[in-house]
Structure formats: C-alpha cells, structure tokens
Amino acid sequence: MSEVLEVKLHDDAKAPQGQVSIRDLIGRMTLEEKIGQLQQLDASAPDLEETIRTGRVGSVINQADPGKVRELQRIAVEESRLGIPLLIGRDVIHGFHTIMPIPLGQAASWNPVLVEECARVAAEEAAQHGVNWTFAPMIDISRDARWGRIAESFGEDPVLTSVLGAAMIKGLQGERLDGAFSIAACAKHFAGYGTSEAGRDYDTTNIPENELRNIYLPPFKAALDAGVATFMSSFGDLDGVPASANEFLMRDILRDEWGFEGFVVSDWDSIRQLKTHGIAEDYREAAQLAAMAGIDMEMAGDAYAENLGSLVESGVIDLSAVDSMVENILQIKLSLGLFESVDRAEKATNVTSHADKMKLAKEAALESVVLLQNRANAQNRANAQNRANALPLSRDALKSLAVIGPMADQPYEQLGTWIFDGDEARSVTPLNAIKDYVGDDIEVRFAPAMQSTRSKTEDGFAAALDAASSCDAIIAFLGEESILSGEAHSRADINLPGNQAALIRELKKAGKPLIVVVLAGRPLTIGDILEEADAVLFAWHPGVMAGPAISDLLFGVVSPSGRLPVSFPKVVGQIPIYYNHKNTGRPACRDTVVHIDDIAVGARQTSFGMTAFHLDAGFEPQFPFGYGLSYSEFAYENLQISRDALPVGGVLDVRVTVSNNGTCTAYETVQLYVRDLVGSVTRPVKELKDFRKVHLQAGESKDIVFQLHTDQLAFFGRSKAFRVEPGTFHLWVGPNSRDGLQTEFRVI
Ligand code: NOJ
C-alpha cells in the first residue's frame, strides 16, 4: 500500500496544521470516524449535514448544485473534528451539461483522442459544480443488445474497450488528479456485469476463468494501467459469488496480482443486497463478507455503518483491515488535492468556451454515426444515366424534402441514457439543423407520423405519406427514446418499437428515395427496414449536436466514418453473436449452409457432419463488428509482414497500403486481426489487435504500419497464466472483422 503520505490538516485545535501523514491522521481517528470514511450517502439522506459534521460520511453522491456542494464541503472541512473533505460523486457518463454521444456511439468513432476530449469537457463542467469523482468509464464487455446498459459500454471487443476506456480515464483525470478540472474516474462494474443472463439487468453471470481473463478483465487491467483511481463492484453474481463479496476478484486479482492502490466502491446498496442474493444471513454478515473481499466504500447502504464497529470490536474483522480501507480512500482524497482545496475548479480561468464544446460535440456525433446501407433507389437503379446512391443528398438537385418520424425533433431523446445534468436546451434536433442548412433553397415538410417510437396507431401515417409523396426525397428518423436503454431498461425484442416498421412500408409507397436515420441506445434488428430503405444511417443517441452532425452527413459535407463496435444480429434469437467467437468442432461457413431464397434451410454434409448455425437466421450477423460504409471507396493492397517467424518477445511490423479511390475526403479505420490456430485452450476465430483511423483525401494512398508485439498474442491458457504459445497465426488487415487481406506468420 501507499507510503507514508503528506497531507495538510485544517483543524488547528484538534489536528495541528502542517504536514502530517495519512497514517498519523488515521491514528487520530476514532473507529466511528474511520467507518465514516467508508460511507457514501445519497444527497437526500436524512440529517446529512449533521452526519457529515460528526465525521460519519466520507462521500456524498448525487449532489451537483455548486452552492450545496460548497456548503457540505465547508461543514466537512470546518466543522467536523478532523476536517477531512468529501468525495462528491456523480454519474457523468457521456457529458455533464454538454451531452456527447452515448459511450456506445463514442465507441463507433474508434477514436481515442475524441473520447478523451469529450471526457475532458465533461470533467471540466462537473468539476465546476463541485463534483470530484465520477462513475465512468463503464468497461463491461457487452455482447447482448437486449441489455439496456450496452448503451453505456464500448461494445463487444476487449481491445477497443481497453483503448477507449483508458482514453476516457485520461480525459476525466487529466495529467494529474489534482488538476483544476480533474475528477477521479471509476472502472466499473468489476466484473462480468455485461453477461447478465438474457440481457436482464442485474441477473446472474457465469463466466469460466479463461473467458473472464481473456475477454472480460483486460479492459479493467488497461484501466488500472491508465491510472484509474477507483473501481466499482458489479451488482452481479459471478460464478455463485456476488462481486461485492468476491475475494477472488477484489483481492486475488485486483490487489494481489495487479497491485491496485486506489479504492473500491460497492455499487448502489450492493453490500446489503448480499443478503438478498442469499449469500449472507443478515446485513452484518453482508458487511463482513464485503469488507473481507476488499470493498472499501459502501455506496448508499448502511451495512458498514451499522455493523463494522461491532465486527471489529468482536474481533471478526481486524482493525488493521479497516485502517487499510480508510487509507485507500484518504489516499485518493490526497491525490485529488482536496486537503489543499475543495474548490480549485471555481477559481480556474482557462475554461473551454461554449462554442468549442459544441464543436467537439458535433465532431463526436459526426464520427459516431455508422452508414449501414447506401444504394440507389428503385427508380434510379433502373435509370442508366443516374444510378447515384441515395446518399449523400444533393442540395442543388432537391426542391423539397420530407422529414418524417418520431425521432426527428426530440431535443431530450437524442441525448440518450444517463444525463442527470444534461442541458436539453443545448440540443439541436435533426429537423432544425436540416431546415437551417437548406434555408429557403429546399422546402422541408415535417410529419412526425407517430407520437413516440412506441405508438401503435397509424393515425399520423396519412399525413406522413402525403408529405413524402409531395417531396423529392424522404428522411425518416426512427429508433428508440432514451428511456428504452440504460440501467434496468432491457428489452426482449430489439426490433424497432411500435409501428415504425409499418411506417416505413407506408412511406415506401411514395416511391421516392427513402433514407432512414436510426437513433437508438443499442443495436436493433432492422432487417425489414433494410429491405425498404435505400440508405440507413445508424446514429445511436448522438447528444446535443445530433442535428448538425446528421445534417452534414446527409448532405455529404462530411462522409460517414463510424464503424460498429458491436455485431448487429439479424434476429434476437442469434444473441449472443460476436465476431471473436470460437471455431467449434463443427463450424458453419458460407459453403456449408444451404440457402433457398436467402434463407438458410440446412447444412451440406461436411467432413465434420452438420454445422453450427440457426436454420432461420444462418450463422452470420446482419452487420459484423467493425463494419461501416463511407461515401468514398477504399482499397487495401500490399499486405506485408517483416518476417514469417517471430520469436517470443519480438515485434512484427505489419504494413499495408490503403487508398481512397473515391471522390471525397474521408476517414477509414484500418483494423488488424489475428487468429491463433492452435492453443492450449480453444482460441477465437479472429481477435482485434490494433486499429488506426486515417484521414485520406480523394485519390490519396497511405502506408499504414502496425507493430505487433508478441505480448499482444498472449492469452490465459491451460497453464493458468498469460503466455504466448508458439505456433501459426493468421493475420488480416481490413475494413471490418469480416473482410480484409490475409497472411500468416509463426511464433517460435
Ligand atoms: C447503479 C449503477 O449500476 C452504477 O453504474 C452507478 O454508477 C450507480 N448506480 C450510481 O448512480
């Protein structure tokens, strides 16, 4: 644990001014004051101020009113016996006032710099409100689109999640934790929460150790390496031991193997929930299990406050264990500079301007939107002179535009889940942005068609079809309101809700180019929409600047560059479906599945016998991980590796030429995958190892060079340790997890 650390105390009478160590401070604390540091209370807790005054609170959650925070800190610092400042915790998940795309949308940018910048702005705004700790990033690998919290995740891949999680931590915590706008981050939810059964939030999780180590834990290790200050335990029950009592996770891995020196907070009341899980007889035993497992702070419950004292006094828990929990927490308060000043942000002058924040929000939204489909509409397809794709729209060619749908003009809904402090007034909706962009040149006819995405009536369809029929092109804004994703908002059916599919069929009757923009918190099953629509942009919940970003993409001011951070299933029954699956003993492939009219109806006999797929959905997702179209076209050529045989510890240079053969400037995300053909445990058919987002002018080519270290090929195998196992590897570089140039090398 930490060395003896210097802190300044504020209470002249009881704790002399000057440099003292945290251990000295702990030495002066009563047991009650120590337990107080382990307690996080909600801002609405009764008698909060008096509880702070008497030193029985270490942290307050859900208070982001600067005046109220100031007063709570004043009481803690000036009126409590030892003057220990408070941690003020708040969920700042994808922006504070200025809401950026949901994390899943940010993940689609594949741009760690952008993710870091968004987090920086969020931290600045939060810090200005007295918040000094947030519960982000959520780095739970999410393979189940039914789970509402997939919106808060960076998707299904351990490497992408690790890179973006580390970027978010850097943005939140800044260069130093005691910077004016730095707030402590929290890697959550340790661990495995994203696998809750059937996507039902809070449900059971069972993850074999090799899967846990190879898929679910790497982002947490990366967070630790990025210097994350805190971890949060998951609500989930992992292999029979709920995370808040899971010594294997919290002690064996987090502390002993990884050497984590920050502190661990429980999730909301998850210590008392150990009783509900049926692993503790009562709250006393729950407190005992959590403390022994290594949960330092209790969020919102009172199992510690009520029971730790007697557990120590009766010798069940050693006082030194409590001291060490307190030390972990005080150390973070010290690193945040709270003993020096609790309101550094208020005094700072180099603040980000509103215009710069909105510019960043627009850039983030621009880079998060994924173009899933783009083709000429039926009329154009028949027209040899003009087979232009539906997108981008031509401002010059259009005289009128129908903007339809329940998500076209929803300033609140475009922000997505977890926006406690979000300022809806900053939102620019697609409808307003499009009108603004086209001015008087193009007539815009708006018809929402449905009251919400969940409406089941067709009352608004006639007006929508009327608008659609009278215009040159149709843009339909569909999807899900923000309430349909997020915590405890899982869905069993991930089709477009309500009557939206019927609306699209109705609009199709107009015979005009039909563009669908989906705003949603998760992947949706949109096969039927793909049949009707000429172009589909998947925008997630893009945040305040949804409108200007989408408008720029529709009109080709910017080419779409988002790439899917998660596989899109065709039907919900395919879940879980993810690109880095195992090969199985009977793998399905295009040659083994027999199709009639595009429907898989059976399997060809192979040397394996039958193969693994669904009769009614095949074996492929609707769209693979990493997928996304552009208005330009990219070619991959000359894949070269620096050697065929690579010694353990060596580095392989991987070089490829990527050319923009289209007519517009655009981003391409170059993705490097490998497959370890034979391992001591079965290995995924592909694993992302690296990626590079490159900006290419029309006609421009670039050589992209990756350096692949053999460390990146290590996995947790039968030896129960991370090792690189010699053997043959396939390697691909390409635009997504399905396509690309291939070569191979050996590790010797
Ligand atoms: C419960 C959620 O699971 C967690 O992610 C969040 O940070 C806390 N509540 C605090 O709001």
Side-chain angles (χ1 to χ4, degrees), residues 58-305:
S59 173
V60 172
I61 181 172
N62 290 338
Q63 182 53 271
D65 175 314
K68 292 191 177 144
V69 170
R70 209 175 297 123
E71 176 59 7
L72 297 181
Q73 290 286 28
R74 192 197 60 73
I75 294 171
V77 172
E78 293 176 14
E79 296 184 10
S80 77
R81 194 178 76 90
L82 292 169
I84 301 174
L86 296 164
L87 285 165
I88 304 291
R90 186 70 162 165
D91 289 284
V92 184
I93 306 301
H94 53 113
F96 187 80
H97 280 338
T98 312
I99 298 296
M100 307 292 177
I102 54 170
L104 192 59
Q106 292 189 37
S109 77
W110 291 57
N111 186 342
V113 175
L114 197 61
V115 171
E116 182 182 336
E117 284 173 357
C118 290
R120 210 65 289 268
V121 166
E124 177 180 327
E125 290 181 348
Q128 284 166 335
H129 288 72
V131 172
N132 50 36
W133 178 26
T134 190
F135 310 111
M138 189 190 99
I139 44 179
D140 295 307
I141 295 298
S142 306
R143 291 172 165 176
D144 193 332
R146 294 170 296 186
W147 190 48
R149 302 200 78 169
I150 194 170
E152 293 172 60
S153 82
F154 292 123
E156 75 187 30
D157 182 69
V159 167
L160 185 61
T161 301
S162 297
V163 170
L164 300 183
M168 190 178 272
I169 291 162
K170 238 172 119 191
L172 294 169
Q173 298 193 164
E175 293 288 308
R176 296 172 52 99
L177 264 185
D178 61 0
F181 299 139
S182 293
I183 62 177
C186 182
K188 73 185 189 187
H189 305 84
F190 200 55
Y193 185 29
T195 61
S196 61
E197 282 177 357
R200 288 180 297 260
D201 209 0
Y202 317 124
D203 215 324
T204 306
T205 63
N206 280 297
I207 311 177
E209 191 176 355
N210 100 66
E211 191 81 346
L212 183 73
R213 300 271 195 175
N214 289 320
I215 303 291
Y216 294 92
L217 295 190
F220 288 95
K221 178 62 168 55
L224 185 137
D225 292 341
V228 75
T230 68
F231 269 60
M232 185 188 293
S233 62
S234 152
F235 278 129
D237 159 7
L238 180 68
D239 303 342
V241 185
S244 295
N246 199 312
E247 238 176 297
F248 169 64
L249 280 176
M250 304 297 164
R251 287 213 187 277
D252 298 354
I253 296 181
L254 186 60
R255 298 282 181 192
D256 299 346
E257 277 182 39
W258 294 357
F260 178 57
E261 291 196 341
F263 75 86
V264 180
V265 63
S266 77
D267 203 342
W268 190 277
D269 207 12
S270 69
I271 297 183
R272 294 195 309 186
Q273 287 164 16
L274 296 174
K275 175 170 181 278
T276 322
H277 273 289
I279 200 170
E281 184 81 34
D282 49 26
Y283 293 158
R284 187 174 196 270
E285 193 182 4
Q288 178 190 334
L289 290 175
M292 286 167 71
I295 308 294
D296 301 305
M297 182 181 281
E298 180 174 12
M299 180 188 284
D302 62 3
Y304 278 2

